[in-house]
Amino acid sequence: MSKEEKRVPEVRFEGFHDDWKQRKLSDMVDTVKSYALSRSFETEKNTGTKYIHYGDIHTKKADKITNKSSIPNIKVGNYEYLRMGDVIIADASEDYQGIAMPAVIFEETVFNIVAGLHTIVLRPHLIDPIYLYYLFYSNSFRKYGYRVGTGMKVFGISKSNVLKFQTLFPSMTEQVRISTLLVKLDNAIALHQEKLAKLQSLKKAALQNLFPQKDETEPKVRFAYFSSSWQQRKLNELTIYQNGKGHEKKQFNQGDFELVNLNSISIDGGLKPSGKFINEAEDTLNKNDLVMVLSDVGHGDLLGRVALIPENNRFVLNQRVALLRPNKSVSPEFLFFYINTHQRYFKSQGAGMSQLNISKSSVENFANYIPVYEEQIKIGQTLKKLDDLITLHQQKLEKLQNLKKAFLQKMFI
């Protein structure tokens, strides 16, 4: 007998064997009054009463609500207050993905809480509140929400349709086991997000302090034993410039050499797969070559962004991307960080209407102050270590987020 016929999820804790039972949500919750309180009701004063606006649910400002949650204060009024365990969902969204996003009163709070504009409040009595919170993220409810949601520019779901939702539920004991696991996973995700944010702030501070700022000739912070003045150099003194060539007529989805095109360079200077290949190449890129975006649509935030080539004889330059091959007077890693830190110069050089372009002369005339080679190496290595740490935490965070996504798919029916 299949798991579906047995009415059990694909992934389950040991010790649970009973079939899950079909229930309608209206049989498992009561509803609580919400109020059409807009942002105009908010106040800077600490009134002892806070509220949940549907917009704060979408931004996660209102999520698992505790005494530390920074939801807004409102003016005191004659309201019905929420309790620990109440689940609040947003009944309006700008897209279908946001329909019925949930929040939950996670602990007893020292302040009163009121449900505000575009919210529906459910008070569980035959279901674990945290399990219900996660149920709204499960595939079964998301698909249901897309089906019964209404609207064109703003999408919504009615209280009656929320209460009509029915699915298979486990015992209360199994619900608590599932919700406890997901809370632990959310806590781990939050911890990694906090670590990642700190590393990103540290890198931002390092870039501001290790490179000269506008109208400065030396940085604010220098490593020990380096005291010689930074010297002004143009990019054409440090690199050999070369334009890419067009390969549109011989591109494939697989091949011997990957093309570096405008899609290959990310906003932070990372090298991304282009998905385009050729099988013959007269000139391949070398390890530690820099490749630069010469064209961009929109605001030009990618203009002048560079990426480092990681290995020899694998990549070929496509048109509208430039090669900057560093000479022996400059560290490739130092130059990578230095150019990306000064992207505002290249953005200012962009010319065009629907598409902005920068010229060879604009690139080669970029001038700034650089230190001796040994100090370049030290700066480049320091920033590379920070980048590696950031990448590591991003990968760990992505794994945890994917694990949570898998559990939401496989631990619910």
Side-chain angles (χ1 to χ4, degrees), residues 24 28 71 182 209 230 277 331 343 353 363 366 410:
K24 188 182 288 187
M28 309 182 77
I71 54 176
L182 291 170
N209 287 283
W230 287 38
F277 297 83
S331 158
Q343 190 268 339
M353 296 296 290
V363 174
F366 170 65
K410 296 181 179 182

Side-chain angles (χ1 to χ4, degrees), residues 9 12-13 16 20-21 23 25 28-29 124-135 167-183 411-412:
R12 201 173 190 190
F13 288 103
F16 294 99
W20 289 23
K21 296 180 180 179
R23 293 282 188 274
L25 198 54
M28 309 182 77
V29 301
H125 57 82
L126 291 176
I127 182 173
D128 174 58
I130 311 304
Y131 180 87
L132 177 59
Y133 163 85
Y134 285 113
L135 178 63
T167 189
L168 295 164
F169 290 88
S171 66
M172 181 68 78
T173 304
E174 191 170 0
Q175 290 177 31
V176 172
R177 286 291 300 276
I178 292 169
S179 62
T180 300
L181 172 65
L182 291 170
V183 167
M411 298 190 80
F412 293 82

Side-chain angles (χ1 to χ4, degrees), residues 240-280:
I240 297 173
Y241 179 101
Q242 181 179 315
N243 281 316
K245 300 176 182 177
H247 298 279
E248 278 67 26
K249 293 183 179 180
K250 50 184 178 180
Q251 290 183 18
F252 303 95
N253 293 328
Q254 294 179 337
D256 296 330
F257 304 101
E258 183 174 351
L259 285 174
V260 175
N261 59 25
L262 292 174
N263 296 320
S264 301
I265 303 169
S266 68
I267 195 72
D268 59 357
L271 189 67
K272 303 185 298 181
S274 68
K276 301 296 180 182
F277 297 83
I278 59 175
N279 290 318
E280 296 179 2

Side-chain angles (χ1 to χ4, degrees), residues 25 50 85 88 95 133-134 138 151 162 175 180 204 224 229-230 233 242 250 276 300 324 361 383 408:
L25 198 54
K50 297 176 181 283
I88 310 94
D95 54 50
Y133 163 85
Y134 285 113
S138 69
V162 171
Q175 290 177 31
T180 300
K204 182 179 180 180
S229 299
W230 287 38
R233 293 286 185 271
Q242 181 179 315
K250 50 184 178 180
K276 301 296 180 182
L324 300 173
S361 61
L383 294 171
L408 287 170

Side-chain angles (χ1 to χ4, degrees), residues 147-159:
R147 181 163 53 84
V148 301
T150 59
M152 297 295 288
K153 293 183 178 179
V154 177
F155 305 98
I157 188 169
S158 67
K159 183 189 295 185

